[in-house]
Amino acid sequence: MVEFTRRKLMATSVAAALGASVAGTAAAEDGDTPHAPMVKGELTRFATTAFGAEVTGPFVTQSGTLIFSLQHPSRQNPAPFNTGGIGYVKGFSFGDDDDVQEIGIPNTKEKQSKVRVGNGEYVLLAQEGDNIGDDEDLGIPTTPDGVNISQFDGTRYSDFGYTPDMNQFVPTNEDGTKGVLFTNFEASPGNVTRMPIEQDEDGGWTADRENTTNLANTEAMRELGGTRINCYGDRSPWGTPLSAEEEYAHPRLAGTATTSDIMDAGSGVGYRGASQFWNRPNPTEVGSSEWYDEYNDGVYPQGAFALAGLELHAYYLGADPVGDETPIGDTYPNVYRTGYIVDFRKPEWAEPKPVKYYVFGRAAWEAPDVQSDEKTVYLTSDGDTKGLYKFVADEPIPSYDDPMDVAGTLYAAKVTNEDAAKNKPPANVDLELDWLPLSHATNREVASWIAEYDDVTQVDYLETHAETDWQEDFEAALAEADKAVAKNGNQDFITDEEIQAWANKWTDDPNAVVDDESLRKVPFLETRAAAKAIGATVEFRKSEGIDSVEDAQPGDYIYLGISELNGGMSDQHGDLRMDRVDGGLVYRAEIEADYNISTLEPVIVGSDASDPADVANDSVLNIDNVFVMDDGRVLCCEDADKFGRSYPNDCMYLYTPDELGAIGDGDRNNGHGNDADGDDEGNPGNSE
């Protein structure tokens, strides 16, 4: 991570800043968890990506073409695999009677330095730095005056154009050989590109870069306040791309802390998360050990690394650049304007119409999964100690003439079989869920609550929380403000007292809070804190991709990737206390008659950190994006810590469930799960 003269990032790796193992919980001393790894079905390694890169943005087109991104590859790889890119598999189509070939592990530097696939060839459609329409650069936002945002000083969440993620293709002809590809860029300010692509008679695809658009630079996106950290997404049942803002800086509470902990202690010192320091001048300084040792009782403010890029976001919105000891006082991002699902209506238009679904709640969204009833949406929030959420609209979402009128109820999941799951191997435990209703609102109502905070700037941080005039002594005023915010919270935003008042009222009568105009905003703008306050299970560790087959019906499955099962899922507190598996797992849930899900069943379990190479090499590690194909097979993409593997690359696996004719449970890639007792003794791993 590059340091800059004025605004310095916390000491962290690029991988951490991009969402991989942010809290550093993976550890080689992890014990041997029984039945890890395990697969209920068959895994086939279909691709390995270039060194340093994640496998992101999987999408299979109507004609069977697989598209995926090359995200943040090592700059040391040979071209073209040393820059971020968007590509597809040429010469192979997924579909009936396909013959998927498993690719071997990348056991040479040459194999490790490029993208490899089992069938066909990976071909790049566009790359970081490509010139596109309006003489812009692919993936890079500009100021309102057209100045490339990367030219300004300020902390970076990542290099611009380097981090393509979600790909959602919207066909514009009947056979799906022509259309527009929407791609997320995981940065701050964030971006989504719209790129026309077309397939020729030989199956190859070409991109029309001249008519490719950085949607961040459109007036419609700037009016919404832009986006941050655009991660994965979905294609809605009504045919539009949905981009998820992975707003990692949204936590107001670190770890498992609750607002009631603060109220009981009479101070928030040691409990504060990143969002409380959102409008602090030089905000990423709160992520340095020197700062949190002095001001926050030695506790890292969760999500502080993701405060990087906020000044650049301000310049993107039109703020004037400032000097070392000058707070931004004219234009600054509203803390409550990012962290949502963005729907690009009219995707066939050169400039689609973006709308944010504020009513879905605010979090570090990895992905939404919208059900075919067009009312029910499941949402995963990435990072440590996060929740699992559901939104249910009153009417089908596309039936509203104006998406700002979308109305519905936001829910948070609670795991109800704590005792059954306690200290058990995750492979042996189904998680039973109840859904706690947080509140009901319209999208327009939530937007009006957000607008109340539009004028808050870095100047307010100092003038609200410090007695010293910052113009006379900037450092003294900043120190006073930091102490006041750490103790009493940021008074420029929703307060601790408001959250606790909402929680108390909800506990008395969950329906009563819907009628309280002074408190209704709390669960929509401070979703995680509200869910914690009423006992929802805010313990999931890196809850990642979520997907179901297009037009899924009751009886079909939703798949959910948990990249790491540690932290809040494996400690001795709360609802989840399972045995630790740093390699994570994939759950699935059967869709019920009302599109509810109530049981998470483990179908893939990754390796332990302690597993040797002959186990780890052929097991999944840290599943991130998941994509369910039309035939029910699942593409599983890694954002991996390497543990015991003999190679450093992330992989894409094709998962074939048992019911689709896989070899079967216990016969392939099941690691030490092959033994009745689930241990490693006498079992080297893969049975083939």
Side-chain angles (χ1 to χ4, degrees):
M1 185 63 68
V2 179
E3 290 192 345
F4 295 86
T5 55
R6 170 161 123 71
R7 325 253 191 199
K8 295 185 178 180
L9 286 172
M10 58 174 283
T12 186
S13 67
V14 171
L18 294 167
S21 307
V22 171
T25 56
E29 63 268 19
D30 177 32
D32 182 20
T33 298
H35 304 291
M38 179 279 290
V39 179
K40 293 181 179 178
E42 180 179 357
L43 279 177
T44 302
R45 187 191 306 104
F46 181 74
T48 64
T49 194
F51 175 65
E54 300 177 39
V55 185
T56 58
F59 186 90
V60 178
T61 69
Q62 182 177 326
S63 61
T65 298
L66 170 61
I67 299 170
F68 64 98
S69 297
L70 176 63
Q71 186 182 86
H72 62 73
S74 169
R75 299 296 193 191
Q76 302 305 310
N77 295 333
F81 302 111
N82 58 345
T83 59
I86 307 161
Y88 75 100
V89 177
K90 183 178 181 180
F92 176 76
S93 297
F94 283 105
D96 294 338
D97 301 322
D98 59 32
D99 183 18
V100 176
Q101 299 297 308
E102 182 161 47
I103 196 166
I105 65 172
N107 53 9
T108 67
K109 287 188 176 180
E110 189 270 335
K111 292 178 181 178
Q112 292 168 5
S113 66
K114 62 183 181 181
V115 179
R116 305 159 60 238
V117 291
N119 301 74
E121 174 191 9
Y122 184 73
V123 176
L124 287 159
L125 289 164
Q127 289 186 265
E128 171 188 2
D130 281 352
N131 187 257
I132 61 171
D134 294 328
D135 200 28
E136 294 182 353
D137 296 323
L138 182 76
I140 302 182
T142 67
T143 69
D145 294 331
V147 179
N148 190 318
I149 205 71
S150 64
Q151 296 183 24
F152 293 91
D153 286 338
T155 55
R156 264 69 168 162
Y157 182 84
S158 69
D159 291 343
F160 294 102
Y162 185 46
T163 53
D165 199 307
M166 173 201 86
N167 294 291
Q168 296 293 330
F169 177 68
V170 179
T172 54
N173 64 357
E174 189 172 342
D175 58 5
T177 58
K178 186 176 182 179
V180 283
L181 180 65
F182 289 76
T183 301
N184 280 350
F185 284 81
E186 203 170 335
S188 176
N191 200 354
V192 182
T193 57
R194 177 190 180 277
M195 182 167 62
I197 62 174
E198 186 171 358
Q199 189 175 30
D200 59 33
E201 293 180 356
D202 296 327
W205 290 80
T206 55
D208 180 0
R209 298 189 190 91
E210 186 176 341
N211 288 298
T212 295
T213 306
N214 286 317
L215 295 177
N217 300 333
T218 62
E219 182 179 351
M221 283 300 296
R222 240 183 276 269
E223 287 177 353
L224 289 178
T227 59
R228 292 190 81 229
I229 317 175
N230 298 78
C231 193
Y232 197 34
D234 192 18
R235 192 172 70 182
S236 72
W238 49 95
T240 60
L242 303 175
S243 174
E245 291 186 276
E246 193 175 55
E247 181 52 275
Y248 264 126
H250 80 280
R252 66 179 292 131
L253 299 159
T256 59
T258 64
T259 306
S260 63
D261 292 333
I262 292 174
M263 309 307 286
D264 291 345
S267 169
V269 174
Y271 298 113
R272 297 295 177 201
S275 71
Q276 292 288 274
F277 305 96
W278 177 275
N279 62 326
R280 180 192 191 272
N282 312 315
T284 54
E285 287 181 359
V286 304
S288 69
S289 57
E290 293 83 1
W291 186 92
Y292 56 77
D293 281 345
E294 181 174 357
Y295 296 103
N296 204 37
D297 200 27
V299 177
Y300 168 73
Q302 186 175 352
F305 76 93
L307 295 170
L310 275 179
E311 295 97 339
L312 297 182
H313 198 114
Y315 305 153
Y316 157 79
L317 293 174
D320 293 327
V322 299
D324 284 353
E325 295 189 352
T326 304
I328 297 173
D330 53 351
T331 301
Y332 197 72
N334 180 341
V335 68
Y336 295 124
R337 283 211 175 275
T338 55
Y340 301 100
I341 303 301
V342 190
D343 188 357
F344 289 94
R345 298 288 183 99
K346 302 293 184 182
E348 69 280 6
W349 289 9
E351 288 193 12
K353 299 176 64 175
V355 58
K356 289 193 178 186
Y357 290 122
Y358 306 116
V359 75
F360 289 6
R362 172 174 161 266
W365 298 128
E366 175 75 26
D369 186 36
V370 185
Q371 298 306 295
S372 60
D373 66 348
E374 300 184 337
K375 296 166 58 177
T376 306
V377 186
Y378 292 96
L379 302 125
T380 55
S381 182
D382 196 0
D384 193 19
T385 52
K386 299 292 177 63
L388 179 63
Y389 300 95
K390 176 175 72 168
F391 174 79
V392 182
D394 295 346
E395 303 292 338
I397 291 172
S399 72
Y400 292 89
D401 291 336
D402 186 339
M404 296 307 294
D405 293 329
V406 171
T409 302
L410 179 63
Y411 297 83
K414 180 171 181 61
V415 175
T416 60
N417 60 328
E418 171 191 342
D419 289 339
K422 191 178 297 184
N423 301 321
K424 298 287 182 61
N428 296 355
V429 179
D430 292 352
L431 298 181
E432 304 298 333
L433 306 178
D434 272 353
W435 293 95
L436 307 183
L438 299 180
S439 195
H440 181 282
T442 70
N443 209 37
R444 192 180 308 280
E445 287 175 318
V446 184
S448 70
W449 300 326
I450 292 169
E452 296 173 10
Y453 303 90
D454 273 344
D455 296 328
V456 176
T457 69
Q458 290 183 338
V459 169
D460 292 291
Y461 185 89
L462 299 173
E463 295 187 348
T464 300
H465 304 102
E467 293 184 4
T468 298
D469 186 335
W470 65 268
Q471 294 176 311
E472 295 181 2
D473 191 337
F474 177 82
E475 292 298 334
L478 186 61
E480 288 177 20
D482 286 349
K483 291 177 182 177
V485 172
K487 181 179 180 181
N488 300 315
N490 193 321
Q491 303 303 302
D492 295 327
F493 307 134
I494 291 173
T495 64
D496 298 335
E497 289 75 16
E498 287 176 288
I499 291 173
Q500 195 58 43
W502 174 86
N504 292 342
K505 194 158 192 174
W506 187 97
T507 302
D508 291 338
D509 182 0
N511 295 315
V513 293
V514 175
D515 300 322
D516 191 322
E517 289 302 320
S518 66
L519 296 176
R520 290 177 63 213
K521 63 185 177 183
V522 168
F524 295 100
L525 305 193
E526 294 285 0
T527 306
R528 178 173 177 264
K532 282 185 171 191
I534 63 170
T537 303
V538 185
E539 300 169 42
F540 290 94
R541 168 67 175 146
K542 292 193 68 61
S543 178
E544 299 272 6
I546 185 168
D547 197 33
S548 53
V549 68
E550 189 171 348
D551 196 32
Q553 300 297 314
D556 290 327
Y557 291 104
I558 294 173
Y559 287 84
L560 165 64
I562 299 290
S563 186
E564 299 177 19
L565 199 160
N566 48 40
M569 296 186 75
S570 63
D571 60 16
Q572 295 305 304
H573 306 282
D575 299 329
L576 298 175
R577 308 184 190 188
M578 293 183 286
D579 287 351
R580 175 173 174 159
V581 180
D582 284 327
L585 79 167
V586 176
Y587 286 115
R588 73 177 180 184
E590 184 173 350
I591 302 170
E592 298 165 8
D594 56 356
Y595 290 89
N596 185 50
I597 60 172
S598 58
T599 303
L600 297 179
E601 170 200 2
V603 292
I604 306 174
V605 180
S607 298
D608 281 323
S610 60
D611 284 334
D614 52 9
V615 172
N617 279 355
D618 293 311
S619 306
V620 299
L621 292 177
N622 308 126
I623 294 301
D624 194 320
N625 296 168
V626 296
F627 180 87
V628 184
M629 297 195 294
D630 288 345
D631 59 11
R633 292 178 296 174
V634 185
L635 293 172
C636 299
C637 302
E638 291 182 329
D639 173 13
D641 282 324
K642 308 309 174 189
F643 305 143
R645 277 184 175 173
S646 64
Y647 58 92
N649 303 72
D650 290 351
C651 303
M652 176 191 289
Y653 285 91
L654 177 65
Y655 168 60
T656 304
D658 279 338
E659 61 268 22
L660 295 182
I663 293 173
D665 191 11
D667 288 335
R668 180 183 169 86
N669 286 343
N670 281 0
H672 41 270
N674 289 338
D675 287 346
D677 59 5
D679 66 23
D680 274 328
E681 187 173 353
N683 180 10
N686 192 344
S687 61
E688 293 192 353

